[in-house]
Amino acid sequence: MAGCRSCPRLCSRSSAYTLALGLGFVTLGTSRILLLKFSANAENKYDFLPASVNLLAEALKLLFCLAMSLRVIVREGRSCKELSCSSSTSLLISLRWSVPAFLYFLDNLIIFYVMTYLQPAMAVLFSNFVILTTAVLFRIVLKRRLSWVQWAALVVLFLAIVSLTTGSGAKQHTMIVANSHSSPLSIPSNSCLLYIQLLEQKRNSSADESWVSSLPGQAWRDRAVEKLRSLGVGHILLLLQCFISAMANIYNEKILKEGDQLTESIFIQNSKLYAFGLLFNGLTLVLGSEARGLTTHCGLFYGHNIYSLGLVLVTAALGLSVAFILKFRDNMFHVLTGQITTVLVTALSLFLFDFRPSLDFFLQAPMVLLAIFIYNASRPKDPEYSLQQEKLRVINGEVFERSRGDGEELQRLTKPNTDSESEEESL
């Protein structure tokens, strides 16, 4: 790019930020997958409520972003009304953040149940299907162009994942991972133990009621559940998560960058997002009868261990890193960087978990990574996207050094393109 040739120092610093952001995302993503397994009990289930982990993580992210938002407001001399909904217009604008917040709420909740059915290595490999869903939504929602080679790579990626699922993956999803389990941090109280005993009796009594099978439609539901189990519940949940995750990230990137939001502070934007996330996870604990009873009688930290508390911190940090990636990079950088997580988790599974891949796995897994490499190497040049990235550098203060405060660089980057401009001039 012309900007990089005129100021290599700027590009080197931008590359360093991108590298740090990518390494942080890979480290946190790998740690989260491992902690999800380590925090489970010997039956590969969770003693704590998964929604409690997400609730605590959302609270940490919200507190951090509120503190940083106040710092931004004070430094720029703005009003504290920036964080509130003082008018109906600002209220409607803030309500847009409820959509990605709800999608992220579902995404973060489904992953707990996926990890109870699939081993970490298989889960991260199958999750590469998110590249296909993200690319399609990229084209439909954000109007980003894809080359024919990229579409062909996506087809190869889809076929490789299907082959991996029907081949080596089918033999892996029912295995119980043998890992180190930590004891709960606190001893349940007498009222908590009594409630758990009553809850178990209620479950056993409802399971023994034979008249339920005679209800109309019950046989159909039983056949449907059996069909889902034969197809693989973990694979179905993971497929659903891929669609939800892609929709959440695409919609979030869209409202992070459209119009005046491109120049808005990421901390003010995320404060609204995490407020809705806190609301949705809180409603899960309040509206669910079992979750409400466990939280009331046993507390929010019931069943938590040292790994689950680490999972709270990692989930919060991972959510912040994703927000920075969507704001200052894009969704494809997010999903393609996640492929390093795939390699790391697969390698670590050989040593930490009871993962014994077959020959089919070693033949098919490289096809997934090769298709991803071809997709990334065949990315077409998008002048409009490049211009947007250059504007973000201006907003972040990274090009103020070369403009020396005269505003010439900002005017050049923000003025509309004319038909007479070449592609190199517009960049």
Side-chain angles (χ1 to χ4, degrees), residues 10-241:
L10 168 72
C11 292
S12 62
R13 187 170 64 175
S14 176
S15 299
Y17 290 155
T18 301
L19 179 61
L21 188 60
L23 289 177
F25 173 74
V26 169
T27 303
L28 293 170
T30 304
S31 302
R32 188 193 184 199
I33 294 296
L34 298 180
L35 288 173
L36 279 167
K37 273 300 179 185
F38 282 124
S39 59
N41 57 26
E43 298 178 354
N44 211 24
K45 298 180 180 179
Y46 299 100
D47 295 325
F48 55 87
L49 295 171
S52 65
V53 173
N54 297 331
L55 178 70
L56 294 171
E58 293 293 328
L60 289 178
K61 291 187 291 185
L62 180 59
L63 290 175
F64 175 77
C65 287
L66 285 176
M68 295 302 296
S69 297
L70 290 176
R71 180 175 177 271
V72 170
I73 290 174
V74 171
R75 186 180 60 186
E76 298 181 357
R78 299 161 66 179
S79 172
C80 290
K81 293 182 179 180
E82 298 282 347
L83 294 176
S84 61
C85 303
S86 55
S87 63
S88 58
T89 304
S90 61
L91 176 61
L92 291 176
I93 294 176
S94 298
L95 284 177
R96 294 188 305 171
W97 297 99
S98 64
V99 177
F102 180 73
L103 294 174
Y104 282 129
F105 155 72
L106 295 177
D107 179 27
N108 293 328
L109 201 58
I110 291 175
I111 187 62
F112 282 92
Y113 300 98
V114 169
M115 298 304 295
T116 61
Y117 290 99
L118 297 177
Q119 291 204 36
M122 305 306 296
V124 293
L125 274 171
F126 298 151
S127 65
N128 288 318
F129 188 79
V130 75
I131 298 179
L132 180 60
T133 56
T134 301
V136 173
L137 292 174
F138 231 51
R139 184 69 184 99
I140 296 175
V141 179
L142 299 182
K143 309 300 181 183
R144 299 280 173 82
R145 295 185 298 112
L146 297 177
S147 66
W148 287 108
V149 177
Q150 284 184 303
W151 285 114
L154 291 176
V155 173
V156 173
L157 175 65
F158 173 75
L159 295 177
I161 292 177
V162 171
S163 177
L164 194 63
T165 304
T166 58
S168 60
K171 297 180 289 185
Q172 296 288 345
H173 76 278
T174 57
M175 296 177 61
I176 296 178
V177 177
N179 51 8
S180 301
H181 305 287
S182 178
S183 58
L185 295 176
S186 60
I187 301 176
S189 62
N190 293 331
S191 61
C192 177
L193 294 175
L194 179 60
Y195 176 78
I196 294 174
Q197 184 178 1
L198 294 175
L199 188 61
E200 289 294 334
Q201 292 177 357
K202 181 180 178 181
R203 291 173 179 172
N204 294 332
S205 62
S206 61
D208 294 336
E209 292 176 347
S210 59
W211 59 270
V212 177
S213 59
S214 62
L215 290 177
Q218 183 64 30
W220 179 86
R221 286 192 292 269
D222 291 340
R223 287 195 299 269
V225 171
E226 189 64 28
K227 184 64 176 177
L228 289 176
R229 288 178 179 175
S230 64
L231 294 175
V233 179
H235 299 121
I236 296 175
L237 289 175
L238 193 56
L239 185 64
L240 177 63
Q241 187 197 11

Side-chain angles (χ1 to χ4, degrees), residues 154-349:
L154 291 176
V155 173
V156 173
L157 175 65
F158 173 75
L159 295 177
I161 292 177
V162 171
S163 177
L164 194 63
T165 304
T166 58
S168 60
K171 297 180 289 185
Q172 296 288 345
H173 76 278
T174 57
M175 296 177 61
I176 296 178
V177 177
N179 51 8
S180 301
H181 305 287
S182 178
S183 58
L185 295 176
S186 60
I187 301 176
S189 62
N190 293 331
S191 61
C192 177
L193 294 175
L194 179 60
Y195 176 78
I196 294 174
Q197 184 178 1
L198 294 175
L199 188 61
E200 289 294 334
Q201 292 177 357
K202 181 180 178 181
R203 291 173 179 172
N204 294 332
S205 62
S206 61
D208 294 336
E209 292 176 347
S210 59
W211 59 270
V212 177
S213 59
S214 62
L215 290 177
Q218 183 64 30
W220 179 86
R221 286 192 292 269
D222 291 340
R223 287 195 299 269
V225 171
E226 189 64 28
K227 184 64 176 177
L228 289 176
R229 288 178 179 175
S230 64
L231 294 175
V233 179
H235 299 121
I236 296 175
L237 289 175
L238 193 56
L239 185 64
L240 177 63
Q241 187 197 11
C242 288
F243 278 104
I244 293 176
S245 177
M247 288 189 294
N249 289 328
I250 290 292
Y251 188 84
N252 195 20
E253 181 182 352
K254 179 177 175 62
I255 61 178
L256 277 171
K257 296 178 178 179
E258 69 176 359
D260 296 337
Q261 291 297 316
L262 183 65
T263 60
E264 182 60 280
S265 168
I266 186 175
F267 300 112
I268 294 178
Q269 292 174 319
N270 282 347
S271 296
K272 302 171 184 178
L273 175 67
Y274 300 145
F276 283 109
L278 189 68
L279 174 64
F280 291 133
N281 285 282
L283 288 176
T284 303
L285 298 177
V286 173
L287 298 180
S289 58
E290 290 189 9
R292 183 176 64 251
L294 283 174
T295 304
T296 303
H297 293 86
C298 302
L300 187 62
F301 290 92
Y302 167 74
H304 280 270
N305 50 51
I306 188 65
Y307 295 119
S308 64
L309 293 184
L311 181 60
V312 171
L313 298 177
V314 168
T315 301
L318 182 63
L320 291 172
S321 68
V322 171
F324 275 90
I325 288 175
L326 297 182
K327 178 73 173 182
F328 303 114
R329 295 295 301 176
D330 61 16
N331 262 288
M332 294 315 298
F333 177 85
H334 168 236
V335 296
L336 293 173
T337 305
Q339 307 321 306
I340 306 177
T341 302
T342 301
V343 177
L344 290 178
V345 172
T346 304
L348 291 173
S349 296

